[in-house]
Amino acid sequence: MEAAFSGKLETVYRRYVDEDGNAISILQDIQAEFGYIPEEAINSIARMTGIAPSMFFGIVTFYTQFHTRPRGANIITACCGTVCHVKGAQRIISRIHDELRLKEDQDTTRDKLFTLEKVNCIGACSIAPVVVVNQKVHGRMSPEKMARELKKCRERTDA
Amino acid sequence: MPKGVTVNVCMGTGGIAGGADEVLAAFREELSRNSVEGRVLEKCAVHQVGCRGFCARDVLVDITIDDERTTYQYIRPDMVKRLVSEHIIGGEPVADWMVSDEYHRFHDLQKKIVLADCGTIDPEDIEAYIDAGGYRAITEVLESRTPAEVIDEVRRSGLRGRGGAGFPTGQKWELCAANEADRRYIICNADEGDPGAFMDRSVIEGNPHSVIEGMLIGAYAVGSDSGYVYIRAEYPLAVDRLRLALDQARAKGFLGPDILNSGFSFDIKIKLGAGAFVCGEETALIASIEGERGMPRAKPPYPADKGLWGKPTIINNVETWANLPPIINNGADWYAGIGSEKSKGTKVFALTGKIRNTGLIEVPMGISLRDIIFDIGGGIEGGRLLKAVQTGGPSGGCIPQQHIDLAMDYDNLLAVGSMMGSGGMVVLDESDCMVNIARFFLEFTQAESCGKCTPCRLGTKRLLEILTRITEGEGRKGDIELLEDLAGDVRDTSLCGLGMSAPNPVLSTIRYFRHEYEAHIHDKHCPAKVCRKLLTFFIREDLCVGCGMCRKACPTGAADGKPKAPHHIDTSSCVKCGACYDVCKFKAVLKE
Amino acid sequence: MISLTIDGREVSVFEGTSVLEAARILEIDIPTLCHDPRLKPFGGCRLCIVEIRGMARPVTACTTPAIGGMVVTTTSERLYRLRRTIIELLLSDHPNDCMVCARAGDCTLQEQAYFYKLRLNRFTGEMRDHDRVDANPFIKREMNKCILCGLCVRVCDEVQGVNAIDFAFRGFNARVTPPFEKDLDCEFCGQCVAVCPTGALTGKVWAGEARQKDVKMTDTVCSYCGCGCNITLHTVRDRVVRITSRPDTHNRGWLCAKGRFGYEFINHPDRLKTPLIRRKKGGNLEPAAWEDAFDLIAGQFTRIKEESGPDALGGLASARCTNEENYVFQKFFRAVIGTNNIDHCARY
Ligand SMILES: Cc1cc2nc3c(=O)[nH]c(=O)nc-3n(C[C@H](O)[C@H](O)[C@H](O)COP(=O)(O)O)c2cc1C
Ligand code: FES
């Protein structure tokens, strides 16, 4: 486990060792590798690159793409762009909260089955409101359709 | 039996969300099955093409038989069988599924320069681009023009940046080229963070090589050997297609050392954005490419003087770059002949909101809003009344219905308190509350503020708080004036374009819809019936059948009644969540 | 050299000088919160905005390079109003507790609020809740008082090269923090404390001590090592309550953890106040009168010097003595005893 962990980091580091200014790309690769950005990963990569951990932490918390905690098996991304907003994104989001029993400030369910994310416009406004379920874009969503999708995810994960 | 058969399936993000990949697979399968049976000649190609704009009718499919093109709309995989058997094999187009007149009206007033090949060529095939005249401009430039001549051509074309501010592109290049430097950089800004905008995504998805060729022209003109495309990670399809296009261009010798034996070398790297709207701002974008937090830097010095790694740098928007090959091919005079006096060429808009034909359009600068909304857009959805058009996203403003004949160009939009922005155009109708719209945009800018400068970090927060209290019925006397004062101060003191333009939605809605603000504050009334806290929900007994849906949906038990008898809502325990309104199938729940 | 006009007065400066620096040559006061001439300009607080002829918007003096022929205005009704709004915004997210703040009277934000007569605030709203206690031994971090000027981040990077802290999060939630919002774990040089314009960063050792009243300032030199940093002792009666360093000296105001925070020994109860004499071989050191001690020293030193020569003697001094004491000590060894065998714990 330990060796595998640092081996993975080593590989990421090698990819970028020749050039400056790759802190963000490094973090993107770490996240692709682990699904989130573990604290130990930042500390180790900081040692390798000589970039201070505080700077990595600053970057991680600046960009919404990065997560410092593990995420759910199913990722639900609700678009909150202008068009989705005027077409009722908020109602879909509150339905998701209800269905998944997520509190206002929570984004991952306790059983780690679902993570709800919000994104500002994925650029599919003509079919708003839009929700991305596990990278598949669903257009013309409604609270009911959303509930059905969540149920499907649950069944698939259980199976 | 027909000779050449081509099937083009619209595979933009919108198309794929509508199931285009399944449609494409169905065509491939159906055709290969049929060709085995020898009923279709082998010369039958299925292509994926980029977005042609009319996303509201996805999935769109073109079937071209012997140069005779028929376009179908709303195609699902289960419809493919009939299309193949009746149209491709039988030679009889399926009239029921063909696009209507509206499809043509949608296209008639448009003028396609940037989008000319989007939707007709396969974006994953460089040969398709070359066949359509691609890479001709850069070849000609390298063979027969000096960098100064190229800059001059661009300057004379009158091209202005399509990323928002509309800075003359030729002038920007001139400034950059005039600097002494051992290295210069070229950046393509594909961060497209404005909610409600998807022009740049569609251009890259539909015709990535046009952007690459544009960057090559720019690189040659200012003497750069290294370029970056900064693109949002939220656009995976565009990233994949761009990557593929770069590889193909390298393989063909259009990128890399000594391009076309001219001695000119240039290559492009992709940098993925990580989710921050402010990184669309040029200095923040540079900070982000350098691997830092995307916090804007003070200007001057401008990037053209001191940009990436402190070197002179040209940043242009995707659409700006894509305009360059046509300008070189057809000449500055041709381009300058299109558009209005101070805004030349065309502009791509993402037309969305409460409009019938949502989608991507490219129109000559100077076209009126009326033409866009009522001709191209087909009018307002559901026959409601137009209230305003929001342009420029969170940096822009609302153009009220009385300015419907406004000629769309940079300067006119500024004059009415909005801006071109990157080209998002959201149509709002009478059911939209303008205070709520302003609040929505402030919520966005507030969350996207980087936090570096005081007015943006705290000013947008306070603006949002005031707007929120107005929409929640807590508005106070003097709030409108307070909003105006604070909005003006934030605009005048912020460090970057985000803070400078964040107050625009507030200022423009107050300018044109002050009465809505007043209604919220003084009468505690939301004229558009949007702000929930200001509404009362009640049930019309004559319409209620007592199905009990509202009772089940109500979180507090305020909606109640006996089965099969009219229900009612107890206003004292109602929390105005609107759940009853949403679930009622009989439109018996009303809000007032 | 280029020349420009500021508030109607002409000034000649070198190319690359900022408008702010040019104004300071003329002793024109432009308010700043995020600027320190020792650090790279940041342009975050926006307080230093000025009007430049030909530019539509006000620009920040600290980041704008002076250009020949520039015409700058540093005070106007509009600038006054804009600056006032900025301070008002900062105060709208600042705990109104100057009464118990270590920096009262020595706080740039408080000073500006006073200049701009801000008593009531038009923008009451949510305030940050960053009042997590940092358990490190030296630096008190009250981050709800932070105005995000970034001086601490820059000094830690540009001067100290430690990068213990950086900006994290963004917008209203932006804050300066060590990685993962842990406790501060660094060299504790306290450079950040020295540049902080508010009470966000203060020294734990001087918490609760006198601020200005009865405080006497004495410029002196730090005795901890051979760098000879200039320091200023803040004393109340006979007690040192704080140490600072002036930026206009050779160490530019920068100190190390010892120089800045290591003064508690002065008034420490364990400190020796009388000489100790070991009267028996193997016995304990016992307090003694000064006369006895001097007699002993004089007698023994004279004997050793006569028997074995002056170089048989050596003296070890301490960084915890005053400079005067150390001076006298070495003089005594060199001139009286006649040896160069003299050393000090902070010798390089
Ligand atoms: C907050 C903010 C966001 C921006 N976002 C974008 C963007 O997403 N895409 C873009 O091309 N320009 C964006 N811009 C404009 C850029 O700063 C810059 O002006 C533009 O890329 C220059 O290219 P152009 O001259 O071709 O328009 C943004 C500006 C600001 C202030
Ligand atoms: S001192 Fe210039 S912006 Fe703060």
Side-chain angles (χ1 to χ4, degrees):
Chain A
M1 167 65 203
E2 276 294 296
F5 182 81
S6 42
K8 280 178 186 170
L9 289 179
E10 193 69 46
T11 324
V12 172
Y13 171 62
R14 286 262 162 69
R15 229 172 275 158
Y16 296 104
V17 71
D18 296 333
E19 250 183 275
D20 276 353
N22 277 317
I24 297 175
S25 310
I26 288 175
L27 289 169
Q28 281 168 336
D29 284 15
I30 291 179
Q31 178 147 305
E33 194 67 58
F34 300 103
Y36 72 109
I37 312 246
E39 187 176 334
E40 311 83 75
I42 287 198
N43 290 333
S44 317
I45 205 85
R47 247 172 280 135
M48 292 181 206
T49 54
I51 302 174
S54 64
M55 284 170 122
F56 277 115
F57 184 68
I59 295 169
V60 167
T61 52
F62 185 86
Y63 296 99
T64 50
Q65 190 191 40
F66 297 121
H67 310 278
T68 47
R69 258 172 275 151
R71 296 188 306 149
N74 296 289
I75 312 282
I76 317 289
T77 313
C79 179
C80 297
T82 322
V83 183
C84 290
H85 176 77
V86 295
K87 296 216 168 171
Q90 202 43 52
R91 292 214 300 277
I92 297 171
I93 292 171
S94 39
R95 182 64 175 261
I96 300 176
H97 271 277
D98 289 351
E99 291 282 329
L100 300 180
R101 298 208 173 74
L102 281 171
K103 288 202 202 75
E104 205 44 48
D105 54 347
Q106 229 181 350
D107 52 10
T108 300
T109 54
R110 282 176 71 183
D111 54 11
K112 298 256 178 335
L113 270 184
F114 290 95
T115 292
L116 169 64
E117 280 172 0
K118 294 174 197 165
V119 58
N120 288 312
C121 196
I122 56 159
C125 314
S126 0
I127 48 170
V130 183
V131 177
V132 186
V133 180
N134 295 327
Q135 316 221 334
K136 188 162 168 15
V137 181
H138 295 258
R140 301 198 179 84
M141 267 295 184
S142 66
E144 287 69 43
K145 257 170 94 179
M146 193 63 238
R148 281 198 297 276
E149 275 309 317
L150 291 177
K151 202 161 153 222
K152 270 195 240 160
C153 284
R154 192 159 273 151
E155 279 158 10
R156 229 175 296 133
T157 324
D158 286 346
Chain B
M1 265 197 290
K3 291 197 298 276
V5 176
T6 321
V7 178
N8 283 349
V9 181
C10 180
M11 289 272 278
T13 294
I16 291 178
D21 42 1
E22 284 130 44
V23 172
L24 186 81
F27 266 109
R28 291 227 162 100
E29 194 202 303
E30 195 63 22
L31 287 172
S32 73
R33 198 159 58 82
N34 281 295
S35 82
V36 172
E37 292 163 20
R39 290 158 69 198
V40 180
L41 276 190
E42 269 184 322
K43 207 171 163 356
C44 186
V46 182
H47 290 303
Q48 48 172 328
V49 294
C51 181
R52 68 195 71 193
F54 209 13
C55 309
R57 298 285 192 279
D58 273 332
V59 176
L60 291 165
V61 174
D62 286 336
I63 297 182
T64 313
I65 302 180
D66 296 340
D67 299 328
E68 184 79 26
R69 186 164 80 186
T70 313
T71 306
Y72 293 102
Q73 61 185 16
Y74 295 130
I75 296 306
R76 291 188 313 270
D78 57 353
M79 298 157 85
V80 169
K81 202 165 186 161
R82 181 166 162 209
L83 286 175
V84 171
S85 68
E86 288 187 22
H87 189 171
I88 298 181
I89 300 171
E92 271 304 310
V94 185
D96 304 353
W97 298 341
M98 274 170 13
V99 288
S100 56
D101 282 354
E102 198 142 40
Y103 179 83
H104 301 293
R105 230 176 307 129
F106 180 76
H107 286 109
D108 281 350
L109 278 181
Q110 296 196 42
K111 166 131 191 95
K112 300 209 172 186
I113 296 175
V114 171
L115 299 178
D117 294 327
C118 283
T120 56
I121 63 170
D122 184 343
E124 303 195 355
D125 182 6
I126 191 171
E127 298 299 342
Y129 181 66
I130 294 173
D131 288 348
Y135 290 113
R136 215 177 60 211
I138 185 63
T139 312
E140 200 235 293
V141 160
L142 290 180
E143 273 169 8
S144 58
R145 301 206 200 179
T146 65
E149 283 167 1
V150 177
I151 295 181
D152 193 54
E153 188 87 46
V154 175
R155 201 180 43 74
R156 283 192 304 114
S157 75
L159 175 66
R160 293 169 67 173
R162 298 293 191 247
F167 193 82
T169 306
Q171 195 183 334
K172 193 189 276 190
W173 293 13
E174 222 163 1
L175 289 172
C176 177
N179 277 304
E180 293 232 0
D182 54 347
R183 213 157 184 204
R184 295 185 179 82
Y185 291 98
I186 296 283
I187 298 176
C188 169
N189 187 343
D191 195 44
E192 197 165 60
D194 286 22
F198 48 91
M199 301 76 51
D200 297 349
R201 193 207 66 207
S202 299
V203 171
I204 294 182
E205 282 178 4
N207 193 358
H209 288 287
S210 65
V211 180
I212 299 174
E213 188 176 1
M215 290 178 74
L216 274 161
I217 296 168
Y220 175 73
V222 302
S224 160
D225 64 351
S226 170
Y228 288 88
V229 179
Y230 187 89
I231 182 168
R232 291 178 81 190
E234 286 91 336
Y235 285 175
L237 183 65
V239 176
D240 289 349
R241 290 201 176 144
L242 186 63
R243 243 189 212 125
L244 191 69
L246 289 175
D247 288 344
Q248 291 175 345
R250 257 177 230 122
K252 279 263 168 193
F254 290 120
L255 284 177
D258 193 16
I259 295 165
L260 306 175
N261 302 320
S262 62
F264 166 66
S265 308
F266 182 67
D267 210 333
I268 297 176
K269 288 195 190 112
I270 295 182
K271 280 274 178 179
L272 290 187
F277 169 68
V278 68
C279 287
E281 200 280 336
E282 49 194 12
T283 57
L285 188 149
I286 287 172
S288 186
I289 292 184
E290 290 174 1
E292 293 180 10
R293 287 163 61 84
M295 299 207 292
R297 298 165 182 177
K299 293 189 276 191
Y302 293 94
D305 298 325
K306 263 188 177 181
L308 188 61
W309 314 115
K311 306 286 179 197
T313 302
I314 292 288
I315 299 193
N316 277 125
N317 166 261
V318 171
E319 196 187 327
T320 315
W321 290 118
N323 265 302
L324 288 160
I327 289 177
I328 296 295
N329 283 330
N330 303 308
D333 297 332
W334 164 80
Y335 196 81
I338 304 165
S340 69
E341 199 203 323
K342 285 199 185 142
S343 306
K344 300 300 182 191
T346 57
K347 176 78 193 97
V348 181
F349 288 104
L351 185 60
T352 53
K354 306 291 178 62
I355 189 150
R356 291 194 42 206
N357 306 334
T358 57
L360 199 67
I361 61 169
E362 182 172 356
V363 289
M365 293 276 188
I367 190 174
S368 76
L369 258 184
R370 184 188 298 278
D371 287 345
I372 294 180
I373 293 171
F374 291 100
D375 282 327
I376 300 175
I380 307 300
E381 205 180 46
R384 281 192 292 262
L385 286 180
L386 170 71
K387 186 184 230 173
V389 178
Q390 212 284 342
T391 67
S395 331
C398 292
I399 306 164
Q401 175 267 336
Q402 65 260 33
H403 285 312
I404 181 106
D405 288 311
L406 185 81
M408 299 285 285
D409 67 17
Y410 290 103
D411 311 285
N412 283 343
L413 280 170
L414 276 181
V416 298
S418 183
M419 65 185 251
M420 184 77 78
S422 49
M425 191 182 274
V426 184
V427 178
L428 304 170
D429 68 14
E430 47 186 334
S431 70
D432 289 306
C433 166
M434 301 315 280
V435 188
N436 181 44
I437 293 287
R439 194 194 59 81
F440 168 78
F441 280 117
L442 256 295
E443 195 167 289
F444 176 83
T445 32
Q446 195 269 131
E448 293 296 335
S449 164
C450 79
K452 176 169 174 174
C453 80
T454 315
C456 180
R457 179 179 76 245
L458 292 166
T460 57
K461 173 82 181 169
R462 301 299 174 227
L463 284 172
L464 173 63
E465 283 171 347
I466 300 169
L467 287 166
T468 305
R469 77 174 176 238
I470 295 178
T471 57
E472 292 183 346
E474 314 273 321
R476 304 168 198 160
K477 198 163 161 276
D479 271 357
I480 301 180
E481 292 72 23
L482 188 59
L483 279 174
E484 284 175 321
D485 282 354
L486 179 56
D489 293 353
V490 170
R491 181 193 56 204
D492 288 349
T493 52
S494 288
L495 168 64
C496 86
L498 192 145
M500 283 179 218
S501 59
N504 283 349
V506 185
L507 291 169
S508 87
T509 48
I510 295 183
R511 174 164 164 192
Y512 296 114
F513 301 96
R514 200 182 186 98
H515 53 280
E516 287 197 24
Y517 280 84
E518 284 164 352
H520 281 77
I521 295 172
H522 303 307
D523 312 333
K524 308 290 174 213
H525 171 67
C526 174
K529 299 184 195 168
V530 171
C531 301
R532 286 236 159 89
K533 292 244 166 100
L534 299 179
L535 298 175
T536 15
F537 288 84
F538 60 92
I539 295 175
R540 257 180 70 172
E541 296 202 355
D542 53 332
L543 293 178
C544 178
V545 299
C547 68
M549 290 296 276
C550 56
R551 178 162 38 87
K552 286 191 205 112
C554 181
T556 61
D560 203 6
K562 299 231 158 51
K564 304 226 164 65
H567 283 44
H568 36 80
I569 295 172
D570 171 26
T571 41
S572 63
S573 54
C574 173
V575 290
K576 304 178 181 180
C577 68
C580 51
Y581 183 85
D582 291 340
V583 297
C584 182
K585 294 203 172 76
F586 304 93
K587 298 214 168 7
V589 180
L590 299 185
K591 51 187 181 182
E592 195 50 65
Chain C
M1 293 289 268
I2 48 174
S3 66
L4 65 159
T5 315
I6 305 180
D7 291 346
R9 292 160 64 195
E10 193 136 325
V11 59
S12 288
V13 293
F14 288 108
E15 207 149 319
T17 310
S18 71
V19 172
L20 181 68
E21 286 161 339
R24 290 200 169 158
I25 293 174
L26 293 174
E27 303 205 326
I28 293 173
D29 181 42
I30 300 176
T32 63
L33 276 169
C34 71
H35 186 74
D36 188 310
R38 296 167 293 179
L39 302 171
K40 287 198 196 119
F42 184 64
C45 76
R46 317 302 292 166
L47 209 54
C48 66
I49 45 172
V50 294
E51 285 164 340
I52 291 175
R53 188 180 292 166
M55 290 198 188
R57 308 174 69 248
V59 295
T60 43
C62 66
T63 59
T64 306
I67 293 174
M70 222 177 212
V71 180
V72 183
T73 311
T74 69
T75 30
S76 71
E77 222 168 285
R78 176 181 182 214
L79 290 173
Y80 182 87
R81 169 204 150 106
L82 293 175
R83 288 184 189 139
R84 192 174 193 276
T85 302
I86 290 169
I87 300 159
E88 196 173 0
L89 282 170
L90 283 171
L91 292 173
S92 76
D93 185 26
H94 194 85
N96 202 350
D97 67 354
C98 301
M99 251 84 83
V100 290
C101 181
R103 288 297 294 274
D106 174 32
C107 166
T108 322
L109 182 62
Q110 194 187 41
E111 184 94 341
Q112 293 302 335
Y114 167 67
F115 286 156
Y116 287 87
K117 304 191 182 62
L118 276 161
R119 199 181 164 81
L120 297 173
N121 201 313
R122 292 174 292 164
F123 312 119
T124 44
E126 189 189 341
M127 310 246 273
R128 289 165 304 168
D129 177 23
H130 297 169
D131 45 7
R132 181 181 166 285
V133 176
D134 190 319
N136 83 75
F138 297 108
I139 298 174
K140 191 164 168 200
R141 298 173 62 234
E142 291 178 80
M143 298 320 282
N144 52 353
K145 292 183 185 167
C146 171
I147 56 164
L148 284 126
C149 66
L151 285 168
C152 53
V153 174
R154 279 176 283 154
V155 81
C156 195
D157 175 31
E158 294 171 25
V159 174
Q160 211 63 15
V162 169
N163 295 96
I165 46 173
D166 203 343
F167 290 102
F169 303 90
R170 68 181 185 204
F172 185 71
N173 295 318
R175 65 196 75 160
V176 172
T177 167
F180 297 95
E181 302 192 80
K182 298 242 161 100
D183 286 349
L184 198 57
D185 179 13
C186 64
E187 294 178 356
F188 298 110
C189 63
Q191 246 66 291
C192 52
V193 176
V195 293
C196 182
T198 72
L201 298 172
T202 50
K204 286 191 174 173
V205 275
W206 60 78
E209 296 285 0
R211 291 190 288 221
Q212 279 106 43
K213 196 169 179 306
D214 298 331
V215 173
K216 214 170 91 192
M217 307 269 209
T218 314
D219 287 340
T220 177
V221 175
C222 174
S223 55
Y224 266 118
C225 76
C227 286
C229 294
N230 290 275
I231 55 174
T232 304
L233 299 180
H234 299 223
T235 50
V236 175
R237 284 168 289 277
D238 61 348
R239 245 162 35 83
V240 175
V241 291
R242 187 176 163 188
I243 287 178
T244 53
S245 180
R246 295 208 335 250
D248 56 352
T249 59
H250 79 87
N251 54 304
R252 311 182 82 202
W254 310 136
L255 294 175
C256 69
K258 290 200 284 183
R260 193 182 306 280
F261 299 119
Y263 59 81
E264 280 175 304
F265 69 89
I266 301 172
N267 300 100
H268 201 278
D270 290 350
R271 185 167 175 175
L272 295 182
K273 294 192 177 127
T274 59
L276 299 177
I277 297 179
R278 202 188 313 276
R279 297 187 196 277
K280 268 205 312 276
K281 212 174 176 172
N284 286 337
L285 283 166
E286 288 159 19
W290 283 107
E291 283 76 25
D292 295 349
F294 287 143
D295 284 349
L296 182 67
I297 293 169
Q300 297 287 19
F301 276 25
T302 314
R303 180 181 59 78
I304 296 170
K305 188 177 165 185
E306 276 164 10
E307 282 172 18
S308 321
D311 283 340
L313 287 158
L316 290 177
S318 165
R320 286 182 166 82
C321 298
T322 63
N323 292 318
E324 291 78 359
E325 287 159 347
N326 278 321
Y327 177 80
V328 170
F329 187 71
Q330 65 82 31
K331 199 78 186 165
F332 170 73
F333 264 81
R334 292 207 167 99
V336 180
I337 309 267
T339 177
N340 286 327
N341 290 342
I342 166 92
D343 211 345
H344 180 285
C345 62
R347 175 189 58 127
Y348 275 139

